[in-house]
């Protein structure tokens, strides 16, 4: 396993972070709690000490499942949970108000069965709460020992401007990034430079298209969000482009004796130095496939070929 120290902290984390969206049990097809719990145990045994979740994943179910899987080993890991997406009354809104942060944190602590969260992350900015008010509340919670540090996610373009005066207060910033989605690449590099934070990537396997498991005839049931065209990686011309990327990955995977997923993750780790890759996991076999990405590097020509095919 590879480890790095998160920027502006003394926290050492695995460069693979087990993503908790599937732990929410909603929108990812057949998800079994027993397999999720086994995957958490497998991750711990293989040196993964970083787990990402959010209060909105399964409306809290992800946090409950993670707590159950970690048990007494919680003290040995780093948990990142997120706030700012409020669901109620049939609608979803973003809310960064200090009052809501307090409420959201207390509920997350209860579900996670812990008295602190290592990294508490703004899931999305709400476009109205001044960042000074958000940071003021987070600093208050940090002083109270309820959170250790705080982070950012989904910050794009000029949204970063308000954050620059607070450089080095945040420890990480996550965004969607993979061979199938490079639109946020410049933003991640910029935030890493301007705010001195550790970049983290979600959607690192393009919701699964970069595992090599799917072909042009891929179909999902109604219980899987990927059946919807908003999940562009599995539809139309985008699917065709992604399958071209997968063909290159398959060749590289064969050369290295690694899984296709591992090669896709390795590309991120080699593209974004000092980064952490988040990947959602439903069962132990997926975990094992993903962590084959650790402790090696793609060659210069392999990186060039992947960069070319992925645009």
């Amino acid at each position: 396993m590879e480890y790095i120290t998160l920027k502006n902290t003394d926290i050492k984390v695995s460069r693979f972070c087990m993503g908790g969206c599937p732990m929410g049990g909603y929108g990812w097809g057949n998800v079994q709690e027993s397999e999720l719990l086994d995957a958490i145990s497998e991750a711990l045994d293989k040196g993964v000490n970083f787990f990402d979740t959010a209060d909105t994943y399964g409306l809290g179910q992800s946090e409950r499942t993670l707590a159950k899987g970690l048990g007494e080993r919680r003290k040995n890991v780093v948990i990142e949970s997120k706030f700012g997406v409020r669901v109620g009354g049939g609608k979803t809104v973003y809310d960064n108000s200090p009052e809501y942060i307090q409420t959201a944190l207390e509920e997350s602590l209860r579900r996670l069965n812990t008295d602190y969260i290592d990294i508490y992350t703004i899931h999305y900015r709400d476009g109205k709460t001044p960042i000074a008010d958000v940071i003021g509340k987070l600093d208050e919670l940090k002083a109270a020992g309820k959170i250790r540090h705080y982070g950012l996610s989904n910050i794009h373009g000029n949204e970063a401007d308000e954050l620059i005066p607070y450089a080095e207060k945040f420890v990480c910033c996550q965004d969607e990034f993979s061979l199938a989605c490079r639109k946020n690449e410049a933003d991640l590099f910029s935030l890493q430079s301007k705010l001195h934070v550790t970049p983290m990537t979600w959607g690192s396997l393009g919701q699964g298209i970069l595992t090599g498991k799917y072909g042009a005839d891929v179909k999902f049931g109604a219980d899987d969000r990927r059946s919807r065209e908003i999940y562009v990686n599995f539809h139309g011309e985008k699917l065709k482009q992604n399958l071209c990327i997968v063909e290159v990955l398959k060749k590289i995977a064969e050369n290295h004796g690694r899984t296709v997923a591992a090669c896709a993750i390795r590309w991120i780790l080699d593209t974004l130095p000092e980064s952490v890759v988040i990947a959602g996991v439903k069962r132990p076999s997926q975990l094992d496939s993903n962590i084959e990405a650790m402790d090696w590097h793609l060659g210069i020509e392999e990186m060039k070929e992947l960069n070319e095919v992925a645009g």
Side-chain angles (χ1 to χ4, degrees):
M1 184 58 59
E2 294 177 43
Y3 298 91
I4 61 168
T5 300
L6 291 174
K7 294 292 187 181
N8 310 315
T9 78
D10 59 358
I11 298 177
K12 186 178 180 180
V13 297
S14 50
R15 290 192 74 188
F16 180 85
C17 176
M18 182 168 165
C21 194
M23 289 184 220
Y26 174 77
W28 291 105
N30 183 27
V31 180
Q32 300 294 324
E33 184 187 74
S34 60
E35 291 187 318
L36 291 168
L37 297 177
D38 287 346
I40 294 169
S41 180
E42 179 82 356
L44 293 167
D45 291 344
K46 292 293 178 66
V48 175
N49 73 340
F50 201 4
F51 294 83
D52 175 86
T53 184
D55 58 3
T56 192
Y57 296 162
L59 301 182
Q61 184 57 47
S62 175
E63 292 176 324
R64 286 188 286 267
T65 300
L66 179 59
K68 187 174 181 179
L70 292 175
E72 292 299 316
R73 299 170 85 177
R74 185 271 174 268
K75 61 183 180 296
N76 302 323
V77 306
V78 176
I79 295 175
E80 177 174 24
S81 194
K82 299 183 283 293
F83 70 90
V85 180
R86 182 159 57 86
V87 180
K91 62 180 181 179
T92 300
V93 298
Y94 297 155
D95 189 346
N96 297 169
S97 66
E99 297 79 14
Y100 183 67
I101 294 174
Q102 182 74 47
T103 299
L105 176 64
E106 296 297 344
E107 292 179 354
S108 285
L109 290 171
R110 174 177 53 79
R111 289 189 293 263
L112 286 164
N113 192 29
T114 185
D115 55 7
Y116 69 96
I117 291 175
D118 300 275
I119 304 165
Y120 202 40
T121 289
I122 306 170
H123 208 157
Y124 291 89
R125 287 288 284 126
D126 65 7
K128 59 184 179 182
T129 305
I131 192 63
D133 292 353
V134 178
I135 290 174
K137 184 62 179 179
L138 293 172
D139 279 341
E140 176 189 317
L141 295 170
K142 187 176 177 181
K146 294 192 173 187
I147 64 174
R148 295 175 69 190
H149 299 280
Y150 45 86
L152 296 159
S153 70
N154 305 307
I155 300 296
H156 304 131
N158 60 13
E159 291 178 325
D161 294 346
E162 66 172 1
L163 302 168
I164 291 174
Y166 303 98
E168 300 187 19
K169 290 186 75 71
F170 295 94
V171 304
C172 57
C173 184
Q174 56 175 263
D175 211 337
E176 183 177 13
F177 182 62
S178 72
L179 280 163
C181 177
R182 300 184 67 177
K183 64 183 180 182
N184 303 316
E185 187 168 356
D187 285 333
L188 278 168
F189 273 115
S190 177
L191 288 164
Q192 182 181 23
S193 173
K194 291 180 179 178
L195 300 182
H196 312 293
V197 293
T198 296
M200 299 179 64
T201 66
W202 61 264
S204 307
L205 292 171
Q207 295 81 47
I209 190 62
L210 298 177
T211 63
K213 294 189 299 184
Y214 304 104
D217 59 348
V218 59
K219 292 287 187 297
F220 295 100
D223 63 344
D224 195 312
R225 66 189 69 195
R226 293 170 292 185
S227 64
R228 308 200 310 264
E229 290 195 6
I230 191 172
Y231 283 83
V232 296
N233 284 324
F234 293 89
H235 301 277
E237 291 301 314
K238 183 62 173 169
L239 173 60
K240 293 179 182 178
Q241 180 189 2
N242 287 336
L243 292 176
C244 291
I245 297 170
V246 168
E247 286 306 307
V248 176
L249 284 169
K250 285 180 176 178
K251 181 180 67 175
I252 293 171
E254 185 176 356
N255 289 341
H256 287 275
R258 308 274 176 164
T259 64
V260 173
C263 294
I265 290 173
R266 188 70 244 174
W267 176 83
I268 298 174
L269 295 170
D270 287 346
T271 298
L272 285 173
E274 299 185 45
S275 63
V276 172
V277 167
I278 305 169
V281 171
K282 294 200 291 188
R283 57 187 62 94
S285 59
Q286 292 180 347
L287 185 282
D288 292 338
S289 174
N290 292 346
I291 63 174
E292 282 190 22
M294 297 295 116
D295 297 310
W296 61 286
H297 295 282
L298 290 164
I300 293 173
E301 289 303 314
E302 292 169 330
M303 289 291 290
K304 180 180 178 183
E305 190 172 5
L306 286 171
N307 285 328
E308 287 176 352
V309 73

